[in-house]
Amino acid sequence: MAQTLFTRLEAAGIPVEPARRPIREIDRDVFQMDIPRDGGERLRVWPGAVDNALDVLSTDAGLRQAVLRIVEPRRAYIDRVRVREGRVTREQMEAFVQESGGRVLRPRGSSWLVERWTDPAERRFLIGYDEDHLFAAQIAGGDSVREAHEALKPDEIRRAERAGLTPIVRQGEWFFVPLSRDAEGRLRGWIALTRYALERRRTLPFEGNPHWPEELVRMPAGLDPATREPLQHYFVRGRIRHLEHATISFDRWRQAVINAAVRRRSWAARGLYWID
């Protein structure tokens, strides 16, 4: 099964490497995947236990992309959460782990040992090339590469398309949407009335390589209905640079909307967290 997976990915133009050992030393049975940047980019895969089901649902050789499906049984494993700086109390670590799922065991050196469990639910990943670099993103659904692309569109993008707010430009995981006349008026009013609303040399918030807009504005967008935490809308103008994507530029304000890829802190339980 794994050999067929590697063969199909390579036929689609996606360089793939069977890992010689687990990518993270957590448990040999856990599926893991990453994209090493040293010695040439390639998708590195550790299939894990023999009862893990891995298969390629579809490929697109023109785009050099594929949809990968993984199903593995629920099993416990021990993860290490490294503390980069400062002292972290057990209470702080338990709050962090509660958010991502798991049970704090004990400290070990500059790390904490945490018991986690693999997710028995089916996961799907869109993998392959975006411009000249490999990426992998967990998606909510879709059998074909085209369906996976649709699954990555958040609701804001679908609404913008229905409203005729085009062209919508994408750079990596961010979509940039033209503003309606009313939305642009509200934004200009916010800038005029809010001190320090216009930010320079700031990045769009994200865990991967940063996107650097020439001009950035954040506007309050109410509370998250699930977490009750404040939400923000992001607006950009001018050049937007990224390490792995072509620079784009807008002479008028656009709203920046991140894609709908599945993101979770306990990435090892699902094979990866996010790769861009």
Side-chain angles (χ1 to χ4, degrees):
M1 174 179 59
Q3 188 60 43
T4 302
L5 178 145
F6 295 139
T7 301
R8 290 197 64 190
L9 293 179
E10 289 174 346
I14 303 172
V16 59
E17 170 190 325
R20 297 181 180 179
R21 59 182 64 87
I23 297 167
R24 289 188 62 187
E25 295 297 336
I26 50 176
D27 190 304
R28 297 185 63 84
D29 290 339
V30 175
F31 163 80
Q32 298 176 52
M33 176 171 63
D34 74 345
I35 297 176
R37 307 296 187 186
D38 58 301
E41 289 185 352
R42 71 274 189 202
L43 186 74
R44 182 168 56 181
V45 177
W46 174 259
V50 294
D51 57 349
N52 292 345
L54 285 67
D55 62 313
V56 176
L57 295 181
S58 66
T59 63
D60 187 319
L63 295 175
R64 295 187 295 172
Q65 294 179 1
V67 176
L68 178 64
R69 176 173 60 186
I70 299 96
V71 181
E72 62 182 320
R74 177 179 170 86
R75 56 169 62 91
Y77 65 94
I78 306 300
D79 194 13
R80 292 185 66 179
V81 179
R82 289 180 171 81
V83 179
R84 296 188 177 182
E85 57 184 31
R87 181 177 179 273
V88 174
T89 66
R90 174 175 283 273
E91 289 73 21
Q92 290 172 322
M93 183 56 61
E94 286 177 346
F96 173 81
V97 171
Q98 183 179 12
E99 179 185 352
S100 60
R103 181 170 67 93
V104 176
L105 299 178
R106 60 186 180 277
R108 174 180 288 181
S110 61
S111 304
W112 285 79
L113 298 183
V114 175
E115 183 181 38
R116 300 194 192 273
W117 296 268
T118 55
D119 189 344
E122 176 186 286
R123 292 107 73 196
R124 298 188 182 197
F125 297 91
L126 177 64
I127 58 178
Y129 280 93
D130 185 11
E131 297 180 21
D132 296 325
H133 292 276
L134 284 171
F135 77 99
Q138 188 174 350
I139 55 177
D143 292 335
S144 68
V145 170
R146 180 177 179 179
E147 290 171 347
H149 287 182
E150 286 298 311
L152 284 174
K153 290 182 180 180
D155 291 339
E156 295 94 326
I157 299 304
R158 301 180 193 280
R159 288 195 294 268
E161 289 176 335
R162 291 194 296 268
L165 295 175
T166 57
I168 296 171
V169 178
R170 184 179 64 82
Q171 185 189 65
E173 64 278 1
W174 287 93
F175 294 91
F176 300 95
V177 186
L179 301 183
S180 67
R181 181 175 300 178
D182 288 345
E184 187 168 4
R186 289 192 296 271
L187 175 62
R188 292 186 180 279
W190 172 260
I191 295 173
L193 295 173
T194 307
R195 191 179 184 187
Y196 306 126
L198 184 60
E199 303 176 19
R200 294 183 172 87
R201 296 185 296 277
R202 295 291 297 273
T203 65
L204 286 167
F206 186 64
E207 302 85 0
N209 289 323
H211 296 250
W212 293 89
E214 196 168 358
E215 295 180 306
L216 171 66
V217 170
R218 307 163 193 250
M219 282 182 63
L223 298 177
D224 187 306
T227 65
R228 308 305 297 171
E229 293 182 353
L231 295 175
Q232 290 183 316
H233 285 161
Y234 301 93
F235 301 89
V236 299
R237 188 173 63 178
R239 292 185 301 274
I240 304 171
R241 297 177 290 108
H242 187 274
L243 180 64
E244 297 176 349
H245 300 291
T247 297
I248 55 179
S249 183
F250 305 112
D251 58 2
R252 301 186 67 169
W253 288 103
R254 289 198 172 217
Q255 183 174 357
V257 181
I258 200 164
N259 68 23
V262 178
R263 294 174 174 83
R264 304 183 187 275
R265 287 183 183 269
S266 54
W267 69 271
R270 294 158 183 84
L272 58 77
Y273 178 38
W274 169 263
I275 299 171
D276 174 44

